[in-house]
Amino acid sequence: MQISQDRLDQLLQQIRPCTRNGRLASYIPELNKADPDTLGICIIDMDGNMVSSGDYETRFTIQSISKVITLIYALESYGDRLFTRIGVEQTADSFNSIIKLETRNDGKPLNPLINAGAIATTSFIVESEGREGIKNLSALLKALAKNPELKINEIVLNSEKRTGDTNRALAYFQHGQKIFDASVEDVLDAYFTMCSYEVQVKDLANIARIIANNGTDPETGEILFSSKTAKMTKTIMTTCGMYDSSGEFALSVGIPSKSGVGGGILSVVPGKYGIGTLGPALDEKGNSAAGVPLLQRLSEDYDLSIFS
Ligand code: GLN
């Protein structure tokens, strides 16, 4: 069934009050300046039909959603070797928790979509490619978003670098445990840079649409990554993409997704849609307080769960 503009506008109006159930991220001070009432969505189908509603033009930093790009790049470049350094299991802890690094999995982070795991994934790339690594990751982000104009928000980047001691702790701990050899500051530089790219929901929808089409751009036929990488990415997004509410999200929404503390969510409806949503007010797990119920209603109304 086609998702109509009218229906989407209606849905957005109904869900908008949920923005009041969340709070802006404040641990990166610059993120606390967003408008908490913002709610926007963009959906693109495989034929390129696009519907957008609400504050779809608002720009925001991609944050943890960049972990999907880093994962795709690492899987394409290093394949299963990645899993010598990182696991693929869910955590029941917050996205920047350190506790399991010491108590589980031989010091290896549990999965690539939490901070510790994304830092380890980035370390793989930086170790092999040095400064070129950031360039290559940025190029992949722009290619998947079909937007060569994407820019880093330097103010957010500096804000995060200044206050990123928890991420520093995660990186130094792993370096100390010999999970990686690369310079901690180089790895964090690449990690923070990728988190600070500014996007709109349309960019997220474009990226999601290519994942939904198993790595091939449906417009041009260009293969951006393999279907094996797409399958692994969708799987890890389903099990780990919404941090410690990934299980609940799988039950209520059932769409492989990845959230970020900027309020964005990238959602992949395999073979059908790429979806980007924005709602910077976050729930207690760090997921968009209005974005999640918006996706739940969409999933219910259009039967989008991959499990149905
Ligand atoms: N840049 C953020 C951080 O490292 C990303 C976290 C997130 O979006 N959940 O803390």
Side-chain angles (χ1 to χ4, degrees), residues 27-28 31 61-67 95-96 113-115 119 156 160 164 166-167 170 191-192 194-196 243 258-263 282 285-287:
Y27 77 102
I28 301 172
L31 296 182
T61 48
I62 190 166
Q63 297 298 338
S64 265
I65 300 167
S66 65
K67 293 175 168 77
F95 64 82
N96 56 5
L113 298 184
I114 50 171
N115 288 17
I119 289 168
V156 171
E160 176 148 7
T166 306
N167 286 322
L170 292 171
Y191 171 78
F192 290 145
M194 289 310 292
C195 288
S196 302
Y243 314 120
K258 179 74 200 88
S259 61
V261 286
L282 307 178
K285 301 283 174 74
N287 296 317

Side-chain angles (χ1 to χ4, degrees):
M1 198 199 327
Q2 283 284 354
I3 298 173
S4 75
Q5 184 70 54
D6 285 355
R7 185 72 196 105
L8 195 63
D9 289 343
Q10 240 174 41
L11 213 59
L12 199 108
Q13 283 316 338
Q14 287 166 10
I15 301 292
R16 199 181 274 280
C18 295
T19 58
R20 301 281 155 88
N21 302 340
R23 298 174 61 171
L24 296 171
S26 57
Y27 77 102
I28 301 172
E30 203 51 38
L31 296 182
N32 205 25
K33 295 185 180 160
D35 174 0
D37 293 332
T38 303
L39 184 61
I41 185 163
C42 174
I43 305 175
I44 312 180
D45 73 12
M46 292 302 115
D47 297 327
N49 301 306
M50 180 164 87
V51 272
S52 309
S53 188
D55 306 305
Y56 60 90
E57 285 181 332
T58 304
R59 290 176 196 279
F60 55 102
T61 48
I62 190 166
Q63 297 298 338
S64 265
I65 300 167
S66 65
K67 293 175 168 77
V68 172
I69 314 300
T70 305
L71 174 62
I72 290 172
Y73 184 86
L75 285 172
E76 280 295 284
S77 306
Y78 306 105
D80 290 345
R81 276 203 289 146
L82 192 63
F83 302 115
T84 58
R85 200 168 283 196
I86 309 158
V88 286
E89 300 303 336
Q90 265 189 25
T91 96
D93 306 308
S94 63
F95 64 82
N96 56 5
S97 174
I98 198 165
I99 190 160
K100 296 274 169 52
L101 280 183
E102 192 167 20
T103 59
R104 290 263 319 265
N105 216 22
D106 303 328
K108 286 191 284 186
L110 280 173
N111 73 66
L113 298 184
I114 50 171
N115 288 17
I119 289 168
T121 312
T122 308
S123 76
F124 221 105
I125 298 164
V126 169
E127 233 164 70
S128 314
E129 303 173 26
R131 299 285 309 169
E132 287 297 302
I134 302 188
K135 280 198 205 144
N136 296 337
L137 283 170
S138 301
L140 179 63
L141 170 64
K142 290 174 189 176
L144 295 180
K146 293 158 101 53
N147 187 352
E149 306 299 322
L150 290 181
K151 301 255 174 327
I152 293 160
N153 182 325
E154 299 285 345
I155 299 171
V156 171
L157 176 58
N158 289 330
S159 182
E160 176 148 7
K161 277 186 179 169
R162 235 185 8 258
T163 57
D165 285 342
T166 306
N167 286 322
R168 258 177 216 108
L170 292 171
Y172 273 107
F173 188 85
Q174 294 184 70
H175 194 261
Q177 294 294 305
K178 310 255 179 288
I179 301 292
F180 67 85
D181 290 332
S183 134
V184 167
E185 283 307 324
D186 287 354
V187 170
L188 286 172
D189 207 40
Y191 171 78
F192 290 145
T193 300
M194 289 310 292
C195 288
S196 302
Y197 266 97
E198 203 161 66
V199 292
Q200 294 173 301
V201 284
K202 173 164 67 75
D203 299 309
L204 299 185
N206 269 317
I207 298 167
R209 178 174 175 241
I210 293 178
I211 304 173
N213 199 42
N214 287 324
T216 300
D217 183 333
E219 231 106 64
T220 61
E222 185 188 355
I223 299 173
L224 288 133
F225 52 89
S226 68
S227 54
K228 182 180 177 201
T229 290
K231 184 176 170 188
M232 289 170 100
T233 303
K234 283 181 284 185
T235 307
I236 299 172
M237 285 171 71
T238 304
T239 52
C240 309
M242 303 297 282
Y243 314 120
D244 44 335
S245 56
S246 298
E248 202 180 313
F249 187 86
L251 269 181
S252 62
V253 181
I255 301 175
S257 295
K258 179 74 200 88
S259 61
V261 286
I265 304 176
L266 174 152
S267 303
V268 175
V269 184
K272 289 189 181 153
Y273 301 108
I275 306 177
T277 54
L278 170 67
L282 307 178
D283 64 22
E284 72 283 1
K285 301 283 174 74
N287 296 317
S288 173
V292 171
L294 182 58
L295 289 164
Q296 180 173 354
R297 280 292 301 279
L298 260 180
S299 175
E300 286 166 3
D301 291 6
Y302 293 93
D303 196 22
L304 301 182
S305 169
I306 61 168
F307 304 107
S308 50

